[in-house]
Amino acid sequence: MYQSKKGIDRVQSTLQDSDRQANSSWAQAVITCFGIGTNLRPVLGPVNVQRDASASTGTMRSHRGDNEEETLTLACSMRSFEHHLFNHVNEVEDKIDQVLQFHTSPSPPALPADDVQVSPIPTVQSQHVSGALAEPATQHVLAGPFFSPTETVSRGNIPQENLAIARLGDEDFPYDKSKLQGPPLIHFSGDIERLCHEWKESNLLTVNGRRIPVKYWGEFFKKSKGRAHSVWDSIKVEWGNWKFIAEEWERFSDADAFWSEYSNPETHNKLSYQQILNRLVVRRADKAAQDAADAREFFGGNLDCPDADGAFQYSKRGQTHLISKDDAVAKRWKELLDTRPDITLRLAQMRSAQPAA
């Protein structure tokens, strides 16, 4: 049997024969009521269960006889199962409390009728496979607003041990991390335009009286602990896909311009969520290859030259290595262009000196 984490120093009482018999009877009564045999397989035929004469003790018996050793083994298994089951009771209760809080909120901001809808969410963690972004399997969940405390609490009134700071653009936003609830479980694969709206302006999540755009959810949950972080783990890959599409959306002047780019040229039907992701993956790989080629050309094919100042190096087990993958080289190259104005200037001069194609 499992060892209790509570009262670990207490003297363990020895089971008496009567205790073993009571436990065995309890286990047998449970599995018999559910039509399960001692081998944990369904019992064929009707099961006739009746109360013992000592019904006041709650003991039950079956007309079927069982091997005592098997029954004791099953009793231990049932106890272990019961222990693991009740480990999750608190999580279920918390979810119920969250739903009740939403439905009993005194003055939640109203959503348009077509905003409160059933949306699919991933049931299996999305994975990157061979550079492609996979669309998750879906189930349905209410995708209405998910509220944390709606009243704003000033930084000075938040207990120091609970104070956390989220970076929202150029602003440091204080909040009480003990009151932070998990991010809403929602899926946007069926409504890309809504995704791109919620990315910048959303009422799906409210923290310390402020509605938090989807683009900033990671600021609250990446470093959170407990159940909020567990929920974030379940959607963070999907959130990365949202970021991918929303940032692409922002490159266009309006929705018509976006769909002009992301529609089938023959049928003029809009591409699906997954089709757009697949196209963006290919485009990102092509862009990384070009940026990496630019970096190598700029440094004369030697990314380890003194002029690079170690920008393309990394350390592993005390040894220095040179990165080689295009996506990693491209990332370091963009960082150099952002932080080294001298390199940016020289690159512009090199390009202006090249003959026009």
Side-chain angles (χ1 to χ4, degrees), residues 53-54 67 69 76 91 106 114 142 190 214-215 220 249-250 271 315 336 344 357:
S54 57
N67 180 278
E69 183 178 353
C76 292
E91 294 182 14
D114 58 353
L142 181 66
V214 173
K215 67 185 296 183
F220 296 92
W249 178 280
E250 291 173 349
L271 298 185
S315 297
L336 268 182
T344 303

Side-chain angles (χ1 to χ4, degrees), residues 43-120:
V43 175
L44 300 178
V47 178
N48 184 15
V49 180
Q50 67 180 23
R51 290 278 181 181
D52 197 314
S54 57
S56 60
T57 65
T59 304
M60 302 176 68
R61 68 181 181 183
S62 168
H63 287 310
R64 291 191 176 85
D66 294 284
N67 180 278
E68 181 178 359
E69 183 178 353
E70 291 181 347
T71 302
L72 288 174
T73 301
L74 282 172
C76 292
S77 298
M78 294 295 290
R79 291 289 192 186
S80 179
F81 170 76
E82 179 185 45
H83 168 65
H84 290 294
L85 176 64
F86 280 95
N87 279 344
H88 299 284
V89 168
N90 287 339
E91 294 182 14
V92 175
E93 290 178 344
D94 282 352
K95 294 299 179 186
I96 293 174
D97 289 342
Q98 291 170 5
V99 173
L100 290 175
Q101 180 182 358
F102 163 65
H103 286 289
T104 59
S105 180
S107 56
L111 280 178
D114 58 353
D115 263 356
V116 181
Q117 59 181 335
V118 172
S119 298

Side-chain angles (χ1 to χ4, degrees), residues 107-252:
S107 56
L111 280 178
D114 58 353
D115 263 356
V116 181
Q117 59 181 335
V118 172
S119 298
I121 63 168
T123 57
V124 180
Q125 177 77 15
S126 304
Q127 298 292 337
H128 292 265
V129 180
S130 301
L133 299 173
E135 183 174 16
T138 60
Q139 66 181 30
H140 291 89
V141 68
L142 181 66
F146 198 90
F147 293 103
S148 234
T150 55
E151 294 183 1
T152 302
V153 179
S154 65
R155 179 169 182 165
N157 289 328
I158 298 175
Q160 190 61 35
E161 64 273 17
N162 295 333
L163 177 63
I165 304 295
R167 188 69 175 173
L168 306 184
D170 296 328
E171 176 190 359
D172 288 333
F173 178 70
Y175 66 97
D176 187 334
K177 62 185 179 183
S178 70
K179 299 184 182 300
L180 183 66
Q181 299 176 353
L185 293 175
I186 188 171
H187 191 46
F188 291 110
S189 62
D191 194 344
I192 291 175
E193 293 192 20
R194 182 187 177 194
L195 160 63
C196 297
H197 170 75
E198 301 280 359
W199 185 255
K200 297 186 297 183
E201 184 177 339
S202 176
N203 62 1
L204 292 172
L205 175 71
T206 300
V207 178
N208 196 15
R210 177 178 295 193
R211 300 177 182 185
I212 306 300
V214 173
K215 67 185 296 183
Y216 292 128
W217 285 3
E219 294 294 320
F220 296 92
F221 300 110
K222 285 179 180 178
K223 297 181 180 180
S224 62
K225 297 180 180 180
R227 294 184 181 88
H229 185 76
S230 297
V231 177
W232 173 251
D233 279 344
S234 70
I235 70 166
K236 65 182 179 182
V237 172
E238 183 70 357
W239 182 89
N241 292 347
W242 298 343
K243 180 177 185 290
F244 208 17
I245 291 180
E247 290 182 348
E248 177 67 8
W249 178 280
E250 291 173 349
R251 291 200 313 111
F252 296 87

Side-chain angles (χ1 to χ4, degrees), residues 1-2 4 7-17 19-20 23:
M1 297 181 69
Y2 68 90
S4 173
I8 194 169
D9 295 327
R10 66 183 172 86
V11 177
Q12 301 291 323
S13 59
T14 304
L15 287 177
Q16 303 298 321
D17 289 342
D19 297 323
R20 295 191 182 95
N23 287 344

